[in-house]
Amino acid sequence: SVSGGQATPAPTVNLSSSSASVTLNTSVTITWSTTNATSCTASGAWSGSKTTSGSEDVSISIAGDNSFSLSCTGSGGSRSASTTVESYQIFNGIVVDGYIRGSDVFIDTNNNYSKENSEYATTTDYEGKFSNLKYSNGNLISSGGFDLDTGILLDRFFLLNKLSSHSDFIVITPITTVAAFMTNPENINSILGIDAS
């Protein structure tokens, strides 16, 4: 717009998050500033009227990408900015055929049964346990390692558990491996005669 022969400058909006990636149910601080703006409105993972500058702690309660947008208006027009915060879940687990130590555990998200640099991975400890693995849907695979009962190196030994929903503790065994390749994996207990408990 023009006022007294001079153009009113358009607003500027800067928006940032204290972290780009956090565990589920934790908070981030969203910080913003503007110039030439008189009002701002938030949308996406937050909402409501906001001041033209400030910061706010926001709890992230939805897994995946959370988009924070801020649209600000002044006499020179409107501008908006956004930032995305990834929220993820973590889990622990164990690899059992006799406990398997030193096995590579990873989540195969592209179904090629091999570990890519972009896929989340860890290694089992002396008791076959692993911890703080970032959850993603896919195949949870254990590859290699040493059988704790026999001390035998399990070169190219492969076990998996098909992941379709988050759990705090996930086990990888020969039984979960067989179930992963079944059309109806929920039938594994009855097929093998294992009590549901």
Side-chain angles (χ1 to χ4, degrees), residues 11 24 29 47 55 59 62 64 82 96 104 110 112 114 120 134 160-161:
L24 188 65
T29 302
S47 62
S55 65
S59 179
I62 298 172
S82 64
V96 184
D104 289 324
N110 62 359
N112 68 355
S114 64
Y120 307 125
K134 194 172 178 180
L160 74 89
N161 190 336

Side-chain angles (χ1 to χ4, degrees), residues 36-98:
N36 305 313
T38 54
S39 66
C40 296
T41 304
S43 61
W46 65 336
S47 62
S49 293
K50 304 296 176 193
T51 58
T52 55
S53 67
S55 65
E56 184 177 323
D57 290 340
V58 181
S59 179
I60 306 290
S61 58
I62 298 172
D65 286 342
N66 290 262
S67 179
F68 293 86
S69 297
L70 188 67
S71 178
C72 299
T73 303
S75 57
S78 295
R79 288 286 185 274
S80 61
S82 64
T83 188
T84 299
V85 177
E86 178 204 18
S87 174
Y88 60 90
Q89 295 168 293
I90 58 170
F91 67 98
N92 303 322
I94 193 165
V95 181
V96 184
D97 180 46

Side-chain angles (χ1 to χ4, degrees), residues 176-194:
T176 64
T177 304
V178 170
F181 292 103
M182 292 174 58
T183 306
N184 296 306
E186 63 277 3
N187 295 338
I188 187 72
N189 284 23
S190 59
I191 288 169
L192 296 178
I194 300 170

Side-chain angles (χ1 to χ4, degrees), residues 25-159:
N25 296 321
T26 57
S27 291
V28 294
T29 302
I30 304 298
T31 304
W32 67 97
S33 63
T34 66
T35 60
N36 305 313
T38 54
S39 66
C40 296
T41 304
S43 61
W46 65 336
S47 62
S49 293
K50 304 296 176 193
T51 58
T52 55
S53 67
S55 65
E56 184 177 323
D57 290 340
V58 181
S59 179
I60 306 290
S61 58
I62 298 172
D65 286 342
N66 290 262
S67 179
F68 293 86
S69 297
L70 188 67
S71 178
C72 299
T73 303
S75 57
S78 295
R79 288 286 185 274
S80 61
S82 64
T83 188
T84 299
V85 177
E86 178 204 18
S87 174
Y88 60 90
Q89 295 168 293
I90 58 170
F91 67 98
N92 303 322
I94 193 165
V95 181
V96 184
D97 180 46
Y99 298 123
I100 300 175
R101 69 175 170 88
S103 81
D104 289 324
V105 176
F106 63 96
I107 300 176
D108 171 35
T109 56
N110 62 359
N111 289 318
N112 68 355
Y113 301 103
S114 64
K115 184 171 70 171
E116 316 291 329
N117 287 337
S118 62
E119 294 171 335
Y120 307 125
T122 190
T123 305
T124 58
D125 68 12
Y126 190 76
E127 297 176 318
K129 297 175 183 171
F130 60 91
S131 60
N132 295 325
L133 191 59
K134 194 172 178 180
Y135 182 83
S136 179
N137 286 341
N139 298 308
L140 178 62
I141 294 177
S142 166
S143 176
F146 291 85
D147 188 300
L148 208 59
D149 293 342
T150 64
I152 293 173
L153 172 63
L154 303 171
D155 190 33
R156 302 171 84 182
F157 186 69
F158 173 95
L159 294 172

